[in-house]
Amino acid sequence: MAEARGNARLFVLSGPDLARSFPLAERTTIGRSDECDVVLRDRSISRKHALIARQEERWFVQDLGSTNGVTKGGQRGERFELADGDEFRLGDLPLRFRLQAQAGAQDIEFDLSASAQTILSRVPDAEPAAAAPVEPVLEGADEIEIESPDAPLPAAPPGLRPAPPTPRAARHTGLFSGDFEQHPFWMRCLLVAGLIAVGAGVAYGAFLAVQMLREGT
């Protein structure tokens, strides 16, 4: 049975490309490869998975030798005819084929559960939101004062001894003041190499001292 001519689109019902749709040309290749006309990121999709093509007034989906195949109505096959609203799967990814007779219609379709339940809704023209009323600023309103951190603390109640001030930690500066791992990698390597060189020099100096003492005796 011939289908009415219209603007064909492919809707993704699940997976990483959920709620996306793609226009279909006379011949549209689908897969994960960037060479395909429609690129889908689901792992069950092969690099070049399927072809959707129109022959006169009829549309077909053709398997291109994919690993996980093409399924429609629970049956896997090499080629299926597509009618308006038909659902099929490429690998594990559910898709829907639509023929939009009216060019201005925009359908939003997405999967809400594992059973691939689909919601179809038309998007109305959004009305501009009313601007929130601006409250007038009253002159003479009380201002909020923020005390300076250096302001003196209030006196303690009678009978209570004030707690001694907490001494501030001494601020250390220098190369080793922070976490060693926070320094750049090249600097850490240079420091380690320097420490190794110093240790080797000290050991060699001690060895020479021992040799000199032995020769002196």
Side-chain angles (χ1 to χ4, degrees), residues 2 26-27 37 91 121 203:
E26 297 287 333
R27 294 173 60 85
D37 300 316
S121 61

mmCIF file of all heavy atoms in Angstrom, residues 2 26-27 37 91 121 203:
data_model
loop_
_atom_site.group_PDB
_atom_site.id
_atom_site.type_symbol
_atom_site.label_atom_id
_atom_site.label_comp_id
_atom_site.label_asym_id
_atom_site.label_seq_id
_atom_site.Cartn_x
_atom_site.Cartn_y
_atom_site.Cartn_z
ATOM 1 N N ALA A 2 0.648 2.144 -0.895
ATOM 2 C CA ALA A 2 1.486 3.325 -1.032
ATOM 3 C C ALA A 2 1.233 4.295 0.110
ATOM 4 O O ALA A 2 0.112 4.487 0.541
ATOM 5 C CB ALA A 2 1.221 4.018 -2.371
ATOM 6 N N GLU A 26 16.350 10.719 0.076
ATOM 7 C CA GLU A 26 15.952 9.563 -0.728
ATOM 8 C C GLU A 26 16.724 8.321 -0.314
ATOM 9 O O GLU A 26 16.178 7.221 -0.298
ATOM 10 C CB GLU A 26 16.210 9.867 -2.214
ATOM 11 C CG GLU A 26 15.401 11.026 -2.764
ATOM 12 C CD GLU A 26 13.940 10.657 -2.932
ATOM 13 O OE1 GLU A 26 13.639 9.469 -3.121
ATOM 14 O OE2 GLU A 26 13.107 11.570 -2.884
ATOM 15 N N ARG A 27 18.005 8.501 0.026
ATOM 16 C CA ARG A 27 18.840 7.411 0.533
ATOM 17 C C ARG A 27 19.649 7.967 1.704
ATOM 18 O O ARG A 27 20.395 8.931 1.545
ATOM 19 C CB ARG A 27 19.780 6.863 -0.555
ATOM 20 C CG ARG A 27 19.053 6.180 -1.695
ATOM 21 C CD ARG A 27 20.031 5.810 -2.807
ATOM 22 N NE ARG A 27 21.064 4.895 -2.334
ATOM 23 C CZ ARG A 27 20.934 3.565 -2.279
ATOM 24 N NH1 ARG A 27 19.799 3.003 -2.695
ATOM 25 N NH2 ARG A 27 21.913 2.791 -1.859
ATOM 26 N N ASP A 37 25.245 9.359 6.904
ATOM 27 C CA ASP A 37 24.405 10.553 6.897
ATOM 28 C C ASP A 37 23.823 10.825 8.280
ATOM 29 O O ASP A 37 23.682 11.984 8.684
ATOM 30 C CB ASP A 37 23.279 10.390 5.866
ATOM 31 C CG ASP A 37 23.826 10.173 4.456
ATOM 32 O OD1 ASP A 37 24.765 10.888 4.072
ATOM 33 O OD2 ASP A 37 23.308 9.290 3.755
ATOM 34 N N GLY A 91 20.185 -2.790 16.050
ATOM 35 C CA GLY A 91 20.836 -3.357 17.229
ATOM 36 C C GLY A 91 19.868 -3.323 18.397
ATOM 37 O O GLY A 91 18.762 -3.859 18.322
ATOM 38 N N SER A 121 3.931 14.997 21.549
ATOM 39 C CA SER A 121 3.335 16.259 21.954
ATOM 40 C C SER A 121 3.705 17.326 20.954
ATOM 41 O O SER A 121 4.791 17.302 20.381
ATOM 42 C CB SER A 121 3.825 16.675 23.349
ATOM 43 O OG SER A 121 5.207 16.852 23.323
ATOM 44 N N ALA A 203 78.252 10.979 50.523
ATOM 45 C CA ALA A 203 78.790 9.626 50.663
ATOM 46 C C ALA A 203 80.197 9.535 50.092
ATOM 47 O O ALA A 203 81.099 8.900 50.675
ATOM 48 C CB ALA A 203 77.858 8.633 49.968
#
